[in-house]
C-alpha cells in the first residue's frame, strides 16, 4: 500500500522548486519504504511507498513512459484475466499490468480492474490528468480544485498543505460524526473533497469532470437451493480473504470473538496453516480490576484460539490509555472526528506494530449486509403476501427459542406495525437546536426495512468505502495494510441477489452467514446470540473521567456554534446510558474544533 500526491498549476506557471521539498516533509510519515517525485514545469507527482512484498519493494514509481506518468496505490485481484486480455508479461507487477490495461482500454480500464486502487495517470501528450478509485473506495483519495491549481492526495493533510485558499471548517462533518449521514464526498474542510468509490476524475484544459463508472447492479447469481446460496457466499469470502494476502510479512486480525471477525479468523488460519505460517490475533479484553457488571469476550476468543492451532493471541487492555487521551493526535491520524473507542484502536495497532504485522484483517462491515440481522424480513414478507413463508419462519423461531407462536408474532409483526405508525419526533439535546434543525430534514432515524435498496444506495454514493478508507490510512501510519474482506466488491454484488428469507432461516437472526460457515467456525461462536462491546470497560473509563468531562470549556467555539452543554450528562444509575456516547462525542468534537480554530480555520 502506498500514498500518491499530485499538484498541477492550471495556468501552467512554473512550480516553485521548494514545493518538492515541502511534499517530502508533509508526507514523510507515509514514505516508510521511500518516496520519489516526478516534476515537469508546472506539475509534480509523488509516490510514497509501503511495500508488502518483494515485487513491490523492487517496483519504482512514478512509473514513466514516453507518453505517460503513472502513480498508484493498487492491488489487482483479477491478474490472470487481465494478463490474457492485455498480453502483459506473466511476471509483471501490478503497475505494469495497469499500464497494459490503459494501453488497451484507456479510461475504461477501471471497468476491467478488480481489487483496491487509487490511481493517477498523467498523459504527457494530451496534458491530461486521470484519477480513479476502486469500485468500493477502499483507498482514499482527496482533491482540491481552484482556478489556478488542482491538488490531489491519499491524505487530506497533503492537500491542505498546498491549497492556497484559507482553511474553512465544513460544519456538515459534525452531522456525519454524530449520525453517519451527510454528503459522502464532503470533508471537514469546506474546499477539500473525497473522490468516492467507483468514480473517475479527469482534468483536461483546466476543467475537472467526475464520472461514475460503476453502479451496483444485481442479476448475476441465481440458485434454486438455499444451500447453493450459502456455499457461494462461503466461496466468495474465502476468495476475498485470499486476495488480500499479498504480503511476505506477518498477518494479523482484530479478533473480537463476534461472528464476523471469527469467520475471517478461521478462514485466515486455515489458509495460513497450509503455508505453515501463523496468524496473530489482537483482542480487547478487561483489565484485572474491572466493574463487576462488565464482561469481555475472552470465552469466545479462546474458542477460536483452540480451533485455530496456528493462532498466536495477544490480549489488549489499553490500560495506559484514557478515553480522552490524544484526541488531536487521533484526529491527525484518522483525518476525521475520532470514534469514541479510538484509544482501543490505537492500543491494538501499537501491539500489531510490535509484531511487525504487514496486513491487519478486520471483520468490519459484516453486519452492514453479509451478517445482517434481518429484523424486518418476516414483516415485509407478510406485507407482500408471502404468508406461508412467513409463518414457516416464525414457527422456526418459536421452536428454536422455546417461545409461543404468539410471542414470535408479537415480536416480528405487531411491534413493527406499532413502530410504523409512530411519527418520528427526533431530538438532539447534544446539539444546538438551530444547527440540528438545519440538517434534520435530510436525516433518517428509522430502521432499515429494505436492506438491498439501502446498501445499493450506500455503494452508489460511495458511503460504503468511507470507513475502510479511513482504516487504510490509519493502519499505514503503523506500517501495515488494512484488509476488509466482508465489503469486497464481488461479495457486495452477490448480496444484491440473495433471497431475504436466508437472513432469518432456521430460527436465527444473521442466519445467512451462520449457515454458510458451518464447519468453518466452531459452533459455540457460530450460533451465539449475545454480543459484547468492542471496548468492554468503556463505561467505567468514562465514569473515571467525570471531572475531565465537567471541566470541558462550555464557552469554546464548538459550544458557541454547534454543541449544547445540556447534552453533557453522566448518569451513574445506568451503566448502559447511550447519553454517555453522545457526551464523549461532544468532548471530542469540542477539542477538535478548538484545535482547528487555533490552526487558523474559519469556523462558520
Amino acid at each position: 500500500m502506498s500514498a500518491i500526491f499530485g499538484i498541477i498549476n492550471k495556468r501552467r506557471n512554473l512550480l516553485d522548486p521548494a514545493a518538492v521539498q515541502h511534499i517530502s516533509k508533509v508526507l514523510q510519515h507515509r514514505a516508510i519504504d521511500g518516496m520519489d517525485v516526478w516534476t515537469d514545469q508546472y506539475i509534480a507527482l509523488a509516490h510514497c511507498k509501503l511495500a508488502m512484498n518483494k515485487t513491490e519493494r523492487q517496483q519504482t514509481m512514478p512509473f514513466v513512459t514516453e507518453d505517460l506518468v503513472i502513480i498508484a496505490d493498487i492491488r489487482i485481484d483479477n491478474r490472470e484475466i487481465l494478463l490474457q486480455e492485455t498480453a502483459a508479461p506473466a511476471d509483471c507487477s501490478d503497475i505494469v499490468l495497469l499500464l497494459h490495461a490503459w494501453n488497451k482500454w484507456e479510461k475504461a480500464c477501471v471497468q476491467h480492474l478488480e481489487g483496491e486502487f487509487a490511481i493517477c495517470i498523467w498523459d504527457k501528450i494530451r496534458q491530461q490528468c486521470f484519477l480513479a478509485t476502486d469500485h468500493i473506495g477502499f483507498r482514499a483519495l482527496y482533491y482540491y480544485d481552484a482556478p489556478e491549481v488542482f491538488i490531489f492526495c491519499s491524505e487530506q493533510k497533503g492537500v491542505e498543505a498546498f491549497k492556497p485558499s484559507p482553511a474553512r471548517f465544513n460544519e456538515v462533518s459534525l452531522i456525519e460524526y454524530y449520525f453517519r449521514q451527510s454528503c459522502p464526498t464532503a470533508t471537514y474542510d469546506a474546499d477539500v473533497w473525497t473522490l468516492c468509490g467507483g468514480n473517475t476524475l479527469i482534468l483536461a484544459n483546466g476543467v475537472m469532470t467526475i464520472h461514475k463508472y460503476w453502479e451496483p447492479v444485481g442479476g448475476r447469481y441465481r440458485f434454486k437451493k438455499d444451500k447453493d446460496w450459502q456455499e457461494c457466499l462461503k466461496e466468495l469470502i474465502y476468495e476475498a480473504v485470499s486476495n488480500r494476502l499479498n504480503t511476505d510479512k506477518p498477518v494479523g486480525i482484530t479478533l473480537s470473538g463476534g461472528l464476523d471477525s471469527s469467520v475471517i479468523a478461521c478462514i485466515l488460519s486455515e489458509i495460513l496453516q497450509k503455508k505453515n505460517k501463523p496468524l496473530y490475533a489482537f483482542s480487547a479484553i478487561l483489565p484485572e480490576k474491572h466493574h463487576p457488571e462488565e464482561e469481555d469476550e475472552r470465552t469466545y476468543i479462546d474458542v477460536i484460539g483452540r480451533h485455530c492451532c496456528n493462532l498466536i493471541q495477544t490480549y489488549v487492555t489499553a490500560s495506559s490509555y484514557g478515553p480522552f487521551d490524544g484526541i488531536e493526535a487521533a484526529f491527525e491520524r484518522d483525518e476525521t472526528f475520532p470514534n469514541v473507542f479510538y484509544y482501543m484502536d490505537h492500543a491494538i495497532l501499537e501491539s500489531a506494530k510490535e509484531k511487525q504485522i504487514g496486513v491487519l484483517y478486520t471483520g468490519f462491515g459484516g453486519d452492514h449486509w453479509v451478517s445482517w440481522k434481518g429484523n424486518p424480513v418476516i414483516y415485509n414478507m407478510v406485507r407482500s403476501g408471502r404468508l406461508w413463508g412467513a409463518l414457516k419462519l416464525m414457527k422456526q423461531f418459536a421452536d428454536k427459542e422455546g417461545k409461543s407462536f404468539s410471542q414470535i408474532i408479537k415480536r416480528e409483526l405487531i411491534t413493527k406495525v406499532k413502530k410504523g405508525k409512530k411519527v418520528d419526533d427526533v431530538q438532539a439535546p447534544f446539539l444546538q437546536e438551530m444547527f440540528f434543525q438545519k440538517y434534520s430534514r435530510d436525516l433518517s432515524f428509522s430502521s432499515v426495512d429494505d436492506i438491498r435498496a439501502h446498501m445499493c444506495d450506500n455503494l452508489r454514493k460511495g458511503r460504503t468505502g468511507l470507513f475502510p478508507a479511513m482504516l487504510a490510512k490509519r493502519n499505514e501510519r503503523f506500517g501495515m495494510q488494512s484488509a476488509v474482506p466482508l465489503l469486497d466488491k464481488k461479495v457486495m454484488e452477490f448480496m444484491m441477489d440473495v433471497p431475504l428469507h436466508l437472513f432469518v432461516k432456521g430460527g436465527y437472526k444473521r442466519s445467512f452467514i451462520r449457515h454458510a460457515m458451518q464447519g468453518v467456525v466452531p459452533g459455540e461462536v457460530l450460533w451465539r446470540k449475545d454480543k459484547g462491546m468492542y471496548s468492554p470497560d468503556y463505561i467505567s473509563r468514562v465514569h473515571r473521567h467525570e471531572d475531565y468531562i465537567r471541566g470541558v470549556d462550555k464557552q469554546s467555539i464548538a459550544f458557541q456554534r454547534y454543541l449544547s452543554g445540556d447534552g453533557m450528562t453522566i448518569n451513574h444509575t445506568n451503566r448502559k446510558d447511550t447519553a454517555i456516547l453522545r457526551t464523549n462525542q461532544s468532548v471530542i468534537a469540542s477539542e477538535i474544533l478548538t484545535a482547528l480554530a487555533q490552526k487558523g480555520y474559519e469556523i462558520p
Side-chain angles (χ1 to χ4, degrees), residues 448-463:
V448 176
D449 289 332
D450 188 338
I451 186 64
R452 185 177 289 115
H454 174 74
M455 282 302 296
C456 285
D457 185 59
N458 283 342
L459 289 165
R460 189 176 297 109
K461 292 179 178 178
R463 171 165 295 281

Side-chain angles (χ1 to χ4, degrees), residues 550-562:
R550 297 189 188 283
V552 171
D553 183 8
K554 305 300 192 302
Q555 302 303 316
S556 69
I557 193 166
F559 288 95
Q560 292 176 20
R561 308 287 174 86
Y562 309 112

